[in-house]
Amino acid sequence: MSKKYNLDKESAVTDEKIFINRRKIMASVFSFPFIFNTNMLSASTKRLTFRKDLEYSTNEQTNTLKQISSYNNFYELGTGKRDPMLNADKLKSDNWKLTIDGLVENPFVLDSDNLINKFPLEERIYRLRCVEAWSMVVPWIGFELKNIVNMAKPLHNAKYVAFESILDRENLPGQKRNILNWPYKEGLRIDEAVNPLSLIAVGLYGKVLPNQNGSPVRLIVPWKYGFKSIKSIVRISFVDKEPICTWNEQTPNEYGFYSNVNPYVDHPRWSQKRERRIGEFRKRDTLLFNGYGEFVSNLYSGMDLEKNF
Ligand SMILES: Nc1nc2c(c(=O)[nH]1)N[C@H]1C(S)=C(S)[C@@H](COP(=O)(O)O)O[C@H]1N2
Ligand SMILES: [Mo]
């Protein structure tokens, strides 16, 4: 049974109100409609119904909605951290179709309505650790990726899950240049995909995802570096070979297929030992598997994590 959940963190609610009020004030004083992100408005009206997960959620202080939606990596909307917010309305996230196909008994398509209504939604408060050594804590809303795997019924030869983001060169400013080999792609082993931590997110802070966070549907893999958590997914394919992953394809010596958060394996150009939580000054120690080892370390037993980085 899913029950309605009231945000118990006053700060979160307040922060969002301030954010919206500020927009209103700015909108009445200036008339530059292009600086406003129309998605923030629609996102603030579409509430989701979900239950609150306690098993996998961290009880650490969450980052504010403003922090979470104004400091992003989403190269389809530009390479600067504020570009995704400023260009958010360029992502056409309505009337979405997510195709599930490949080596499965039951290929299917989820539309926008299915994405928020087909599977029971949960709030999962997860740490997200970017490979650039910053981190956030985000109250995601979503369902376990395992739901999709179970419904698709993978064939015996399916070993990996490949994910593909939207390709829309006409509207997405970042796709007008070949800064990456578009569309953005990611992949997991099937056993990683069915781990209960692997989440398909459709919202955060109680509402549908802001465009800059990967609306309307994205992956969250909290024990891996942020770039594995692919945004605005249009296809999930079951395959028999290790799928192409965008950053691994781009710079294989810097970004491996696994990309597990690991303080003992440095990025060739910087250390991964510490991280800065957005909003904090002092750095924190980075934890192996981003602190999720009790749930995922068994997936890698016997593997050399320095080679399989
Ligand atoms: N399609 C797509 N997905 C993406 C990216 C991207 O550029 N394009 N950036 C990744 C990186 S590097 C990070 S750190 C996270 C950031 O997610 P957030 O902006 O919601 O915090 O998204 C990941 N997913
Ligand atoms: Mo990242």
Side-chain angles (χ1 to χ4, degrees):
M1 266 290 288
S2 61
K3 56 176 166 18
K4 273 242 158 63
Y5 158 60
N6 296 316
L7 278 174
D8 56 1
K9 286 202 171 65
E10 267 308 306
S11 61
V13 176
T14 313
D15 180 72
E16 196 181 340
K17 275 194 198 130
I18 290 169
F19 193 56
I20 291 162
N21 282 341
R22 226 181 260 148
R23 287 195 58 240
K24 278 195 191 137
I25 293 160
M26 285 173 78
S28 60
V29 174
F30 308 105
S31 53
F32 300 128
F34 57 87
I35 67 170
F36 301 113
N37 165 1
T38 50
N39 182 63
M40 284 311 297
L41 196 62
S42 60
S44 68
T45 61
K46 279 189 207 156
R47 281 216 154 267
L48 297 169
T49 302
F50 54 91
R51 78 176 182 89
K52 195 175 173 179
D53 160 79
L54 298 174
E55 201 175 350
Y56 305 107
S57 290
T58 170
N59 53 21
E60 289 165 279
Q61 173 78 51
T62 48
N63 281 95
T64 64
L65 176 61
K66 187 177 177 182
Q67 289 168 332
I68 294 166
S69 59
S70 64
Y71 189 85
N72 301 98
N73 274 335
F74 195 176
Y75 277 26
E76 287 86 336
L77 296 176
T79 54
K81 293 285 183 274
R82 293 173 64 78
D83 291 347
M85 171 185 64
L86 297 171
N87 294 323
D89 63 339
K90 302 285 194 297
L91 173 68
K92 306 300 167 201
S93 56
D94 294 338
N95 304 316
W96 203 259
K97 288 215 172 352
L98 168 58
T99 301
I100 290 94
D101 65 4
L103 303 171
V104 295
E105 229 172 84
N106 179 38
F108 60 97
V109 175
L110 297 175
D111 64 18
S112 298
D113 184 57
N114 298 150
L115 287 171
I116 56 171
N117 291 315
K118 190 158 191 77
F119 306 107
L121 300 180
E122 290 182 25
E123 181 188 69
R124 293 276 183 96
I125 304 176
Y126 281 163
R127 291 179 289 276
L128 178 138
R129 168 61 157 80
C130 181
V131 72
E132 297 162 88
W134 50 266
S135 65
M136 287 196 206
V137 176
V138 183
W140 300 110
I141 315 280
F143 55 86
E144 289 179 10
L145 173 57
K146 192 166 55 176
N147 287 294
I148 285 185
V149 179
N150 289 345
M151 194 166 153
K153 300 196 173 81
L155 302 174
H156 287 297
N157 53 343
K159 297 278 184 293
Y160 296 89
V161 190
F163 301 83
E164 217 176 273
S165 291
I166 181 176
L167 181 66
D168 182 1
R169 291 186 192 274
E170 218 168 284
N171 292 303
L172 294 169
Q175 290 187 339
K176 294 196 194 305
R177 293 180 298 137
N178 289 324
I179 39 175
L180 293 174
N181 186 13
W182 305 114
Y184 195 97
K185 296 173 217 56
E186 260 307 334
L188 296 173
R189 276 189 342 216
I190 285 195
D191 60 343
E192 296 177 317
V194 299
N195 184 280
L197 284 177
S198 297
L199 195 74
I200 291 290
V202 296
L204 63 84
Y205 267 126
K207 295 162 191 167
V208 298
L209 287 170
N211 276 0
Q212 55 268 45
N213 292 95
S215 175
V217 59
R218 65 165 308 166
L219 179 67
I220 304 292
V221 201
W223 71 95
K224 293 177 183 277
Y225 291 115
F227 62 89
K228 296 293 284 186
S229 292
I230 182 172
K231 294 174 166 178
S232 303
I233 307 169
V234 297
R235 185 178 297 273
I236 299 179
S237 300
F238 292 77
V239 295
D240 56 358
K241 289 183 193 66
E242 192 179 279
I244 289 175
C245 301
T246 290
W247 284 104
N248 177 240
E249 177 186 48
Q250 185 81 6
T251 323
N253 65 317
E254 297 186 16
Y255 310 104
F257 172 76
Y258 285 95
S259 303
N260 291 320
V261 174
N262 193 335
Y264 311 111
V265 177
D266 288 337
H267 182 279
R269 290 184 282 133
W270 60 81
S271 166
Q272 293 293 13
K273 285 190 177 54
R274 282 185 237 290
E275 66 197 57
R276 195 176 60 82
R277 182 71 47 85
I278 298 299
E280 290 181 357
F281 183 69
R282 271 181 86 113
K283 287 192 175 173
R284 294 167 174 256
D285 287 339
T286 285
L287 303 171
L288 183 61
F289 300 119
N290 202 20
Y292 295 100
E294 63 172 304
F295 305 114
V296 299
S297 58
N298 63 311
L299 293 169
Y300 311 103
S301 57
M303 279 178 67
D304 181 344
L305 296 179
E306 276 182 44
K307 280 198 192 115
N308 298 286
F309 63 90

